[in-house]
């Protein structure tokens, strides 16, 4: 599959894989590929592990380090098992696995019995943003009251949280990079502007 990719492909998003992405042959990614996903961590579906999901400890131990030309990463985080690592440690691992990381797109999921304080998602966003990484929350899957809390908390932390019909109608919806309506030109311009502002 990787050998047959067009040399100018900009993004590669694996979804619903039957296995985790450990041992992925990162050296085969085209230089033009700047976006990669979906990294699935501790996701559960109907009481069992989601397809391709891995424990964070396994992610640390077995997930490969990507080349620095990959700057946009999509991840799906859930509540299967306890998140033992601190938010700062999780942020550090993401930045170590993806040394070129500029944008982390997050899909968040909480099982009905989970509490919002059981997960490090808000503090993770805050840690990444403090390190200069833009955090975009493209979807939140949980009970309505949890969703509203997470939307408000992630926005207050500095993340860009756009996943309602009202946001889409206003033109502020943040699509995953693999979505047909993702605007690569605007995304690149936004990144360049934010990098210029941070270095000024």
């Amino acid at each position: 599959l990787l050998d047959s990719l067009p040399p100018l492909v900009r993004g590669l998003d694996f979804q619903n894989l039957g296995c985790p992405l450990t041992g992925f042959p990162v050296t085969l990614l085209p230089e033009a590929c700047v976006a990669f996903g979906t990294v699935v961590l501790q996701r559960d579906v109907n009481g069992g592990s989601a397809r391709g999901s891995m424990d964070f400890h396994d992610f640390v131990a077995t997930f490969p380090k990507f080349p620095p030309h990959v700057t946009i990463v999509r991840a799906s985080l859930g509540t299967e098992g306890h998140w033992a690592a601190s938010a700062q440690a999780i942020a550090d691992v993401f930045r170590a696995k993806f040394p070129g990381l500029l944008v982390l797109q997050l899909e968040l999921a909480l099982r009905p019995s989970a509490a919002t304080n059981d997960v490090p998602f808000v503090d993770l966003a805050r840690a990444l943003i403090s390190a200069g990484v833009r955090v975009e929350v493209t979807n939140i899957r949980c009970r309505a009251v949890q969703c509203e809390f997470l939307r408000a908390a992630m926005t207050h932390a500095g993340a860009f949280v756009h996943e309602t019909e009202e946001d889409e109608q206003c033109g502020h919806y943040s699509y995953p990079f693999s979505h047909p309506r993702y605007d690569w030109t605007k995304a690149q311009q936004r990144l360049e502007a934010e990098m210029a502002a941070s270095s000024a």
Side-chain angles (χ1 to χ4, degrees):
L1 172 62
L2 293 179
D3 284 337
S4 64
L5 287 175
L8 296 181
V9 65
R10 289 182 291 189
L12 191 60
D13 194 3
F14 292 97
Q15 299 186 19
N16 298 314
L17 287 178
C19 60
L21 290 168
T22 55
F24 185 84
V26 296
T27 56
L28 296 181
L29 282 176
E31 285 287 336
C33 183
V34 299
F36 183 85
T38 298
V39 179
V40 184
L41 298 178
Q42 302 193 189
R43 277 293 308 272
D44 62 300
V45 176
N46 298 325
S49 295
R51 290 173 62 87
S53 179
M54 71 183 89
D55 181 79
F56 181 72
H57 176 76
D58 294 333
F59 177 65
V60 173
T62 63
F63 196 81
K65 180 179 179 180
F66 273 63
H69 61 78
V70 175
T71 59
I72 303 171
V73 176
R74 176 162 166 76
S76 179
L77 310 181
T79 51
E80 183 188 34
H82 174 60
W83 286 89
S86 68
Q88 186 61 59
I90 298 170
D92 291 343
V93 169
F94 265 99
R95 294 181 65 214
K97 298 293 186 180
F98 298 95
L101 183 64
L102 296 177
V103 178
L104 182 63
Q105 296 189 328
L106 291 176
E107 177 184 87
L108 307 177
L110 276 72
R111 63 177 181 272
S113 61
T116 52
N117 59 1
D118 291 337
V119 292
F121 301 157
V122 176
D123 288 338
L124 170 61
R126 189 175 291 114
L128 288 167
I129 292 165
S130 295
V133 177
R134 177 186 175 93
V135 176
E136 300 176 350
V137 181
T138 61
N139 198 5
I140 302 176
R141 301 169 184 265
C142 57
R143 290 183 290 121
V145 63
Q146 294 173 317
C147 183
E148 288 307 309
F149 173 82
L150 281 175
R151 278 178 59 84
M154 294 291 281
T155 300
H156 186 263
F160 294 85
V161 186
H162 310 302
E163 47 85 38
T164 67
E165 292 182 0
E166 291 79 8
D167 288 331
E168 185 171 5
Q169 292 169 358
C170 294
H172 301 305
Y173 193 87
S174 182
Y175 292 101
F177 71 81
S178 54
H179 194 283
R181 295 177 65 181
Y182 183 75
D183 193 326
W184 287 93
T185 301
K186 285 186 178 180
Q188 184 61 36
Q189 292 172 345
R190 182 174 59 238
L191 278 177
E192 290 173 354
E194 291 178 355
M195 291 175 64
S198 63
S199 61

